[in-house]
Amino acid sequence: MKCRKCGERASIELRRHNAAFCTPDFLEFFKKQVREAIRKHRMFTTGEPVLVAVSGGKDSLALWDVLIDEGYRTSGLYLDLGIFDYSLESKAKCERFAAARGVPLIVSTVAAEVGAPVPTIKEVTRRPPCSGCGLSKRYLMNRVALEHGFPVVATGHNLDDEAATLFGSVMHWQTDSLPRQSPALAATHPKLVRRVKPLYRLSERETAAFAFLRKIDYIVDECPFAKGATSIAHKEILNQMEEASPGAKHNFLFGFLEKARPAFERAEAVTLNECARCGQVTTGTLCAFCKLADQVKRAVR
Amino acid sequence: MKVVLRNPRREVEVAGGRRVKDVLAELKIVPESVLVICGDELVTADQVVRDDDVIELRPVMSGGSGEIARR
């Protein structure tokens, strides 16, 4: 298989683009897709400080690598979830990445903020571990960004993540979730920072290939709690569809963003308040994070 | 030839002298779900692998809490 641009031996085939690329041309293709995402959704400028949420995985470290390379002013945020050796290893990878490139890394610990690490939260709430984990991540990303003066948080969500989330929302017709599915969420309240996903145009396989070819040392092993997660099941289904019809994931997500999302956006009208306890944004009186922290503290007392 | 699989890490022996896509088909692995690594290079599905090659099939899927932003 030959590179579409230069005719040299290809490293990767992208069936959805009916193309194959050698390593240098693939890396350039990748960066071009990130540039296009940032430009199209006006995610941030080179003058703004950007907080990049990093997990030690391929997506977030690939994103941070591109943004540093493109000259953006970035800092990393690692949220220590306290998931046994998995968290120790992923934290070490983020620290080494930051040290090698001379960029700052902020570390926030879920156990210190919620009262217990993710495995204990799972036991206390008796809900899927990804539930309390995701809630804590979203809350802490916003709060840390505000505290450190970052107007925007960038996450490593890729095309597969976004297509799987959309698939899950549509399967249950969660019409309240659909307007929030976007590559860029605006700051709709003074205490909310912008949330952007510069990798949304790139598939999971493409981000993995980029990380490998850039020799980024990322954590390959899966989070021990991800096994059996619904999002993984949805990704497997979508990959079967992609195999039968290259471009299926792209068409599903981009069709939604261009044609369907505006209709759901118009239908959404949510009143935002400040949490009576912590002052962060919520639709109720007490935010979900403070309720979770109360529940955990009662149980571990 | 030797094939290294991950999550959990294990090794299986399969016949070489054929294309990567045939190896993936035998192992019932969807090509979209893995990187195929030989040495320090990626290889494409049409490339022929030899009996003495070692390839790693590195999964690309991650997931769990990365659900939609709820505010």
Side-chain angles (χ1 to χ4, degrees):
Chain A
M1 203 173 288
K2 303 286 186 196
C3 172
R4 182 168 81 178
K5 287 193 79 177
C6 70
E8 292 293 314
R9 186 185 77 78
S11 293
I12 185 166
E13 180 186 18
L14 307 182
R15 290 179 70 211
R16 70 190 175 99
H17 291 293
N18 196 23
F21 292 111
C22 66
T23 297
D25 285 326
F26 171 71
L27 296 177
E28 183 52 33
F29 161 85
F30 191 94
K31 287 192 266 187
K32 195 173 162 187
Q33 294 298 319
V34 176
R35 283 184 213 123
E36 175 60 12
I38 294 169
R39 184 201 65 77
K40 184 168 184 182
H41 295 277
R42 298 178 183 174
M43 292 182 175
F44 40 76
T45 64
T46 49
E48 285 180 298
V50 181
L51 187 63
V52 185
V54 289
S55 65
K58 65 189 190 309
D59 303 301
S60 56
L61 291 184
L63 171 63
W64 202 7
D65 185 71
V66 175
L67 296 184
I68 293 168
D69 208 35
E70 293 285 302
Y72 289 101
R73 291 171 55 200
T74 61
S75 297
L77 168 62
Y78 176 78
L79 297 176
D80 187 342
L81 307 170
I83 305 178
F84 319 120
D85 289 349
Y86 177 78
S87 286
L88 293 176
E89 192 184 343
S90 57
K91 182 183 174 189
K93 289 192 185 297
C94 292
E95 288 173 337
R96 282 198 293 269
F97 181 99
R101 290 160 178 81
V103 285
L105 177 70
I106 300 167
V107 176
S108 178
T109 306
V110 166
E113 301 293 341
V114 185
V118 166
T120 307
I121 295 173
K122 168 184 173 281
E123 297 302 322
V124 168
T125 59
R126 296 181 185 179
R127 293 172 64 190
C130 304
S131 170
C133 180
L135 190 159
S136 303
K137 280 185 193 170
R138 290 187 291 273
Y139 176 91
L140 290 172
M141 277 192 284
N142 189 72
R143 206 184 76 190
V144 172
L146 277 174
E147 286 170 356
H148 288 79
F150 290 93
V152 57
V153 173
T155 59
H157 290 91
N158 57 48
L159 171 60
D160 293 59
D161 295 324
E162 294 300 281
T165 299
L166 176 61
F167 188 77
S169 298
V170 171
M171 285 294 286
H172 295 97
W173 289 115
Q174 292 170 325
T175 52
D176 58 332
S177 297
L178 293 172
R180 288 195 295 269
Q181 172 128 17
S182 171
L185 287 170
T188 52
H189 185 280
K191 288 194 170 179
L192 285 178
V193 302
R194 298 201 303 282
R195 285 264 305 269
V196 297
K197 303 168 185 172
L199 299 185
Y200 84 100
R201 301 175 63 86
L202 291 149
S203 76
E204 196 148 49
R205 189 163 160 273
E206 289 156 15
T207 61
F210 182 87
F212 175 80
L213 293 169
R214 287 281 294 160
K215 302 190 189 314
I216 293 171
D217 179 22
Y218 67 89
I219 189 161
V220 176
D221 293 336
E222 187 55 270
C223 169
F225 288 131
K227 193 174 181 186
T230 311
S231 61
I232 298 276
H234 290 164
K235 282 183 175 180
E236 286 170 350
I237 292 165
L238 289 166
N239 274 345
Q240 293 283 352
M241 294 167 68
E242 184 76 17
E243 185 63 15
S245 177
K249 290 183 286 195
H250 177 105
N251 293 338
F252 180 50
L253 178 66
F254 281 65
F256 165 75
L257 292 174
E258 288 159 20
K259 296 172 186 170
R261 185 176 173 274
F264 290 102
E265 199 171 28
R266 281 195 294 274
E268 192 194 44
V270 177
T271 306
L272 296 177
N273 311 310
E274 291 185 13
C275 172
R277 174 86 49 80
C278 70
Q280 291 292 296
V281 179
T282 178
T283 51
T285 308
L286 206 60
C287 76
F289 183 84
C290 284
K291 287 178 188 169
L292 175 68
D294 280 351
Q295 190 182 1
V296 170
K297 279 166 192 160
R298 277 197 302 272
V300 300
R301 193 174 289 158
Chain B
M1 65 173 293
K2 190 183 288 181
V3 180
V4 179
L5 302 158
R6 306 288 290 250
N7 293 339
R9 191 181 175 93
R10 59 208 186 279
E11 295 177 358
V12 295
E13 287 283 341
V14 298
R18 53 186 173 152
R19 294 172 305 177
V20 166
K21 67 165 71 170
D22 301 321
V23 174
L24 294 177
E26 181 185 324
L27 296 171
K28 296 185 170 54
I29 290 174
V30 178
E32 184 72 8
S33 69
V34 289
L35 292 181
V36 184
I37 299 168
C38 188
D40 58 356
E41 292 187 337
L42 295 181
V43 291
T44 51
D46 66 329
Q47 204 160 317
V48 173
V49 279
R50 300 187 313 258
D51 267 327
D52 58 348
D53 277 337
V54 177
I55 61 170
E56 178 190 346
L57 302 183
R58 184 178 292 186
V60 302
M61 203 177 286
S62 57
S65 66
E67 295 298 322
I68 200 161
R70 291 190 171 277
R71 284 183 153 174

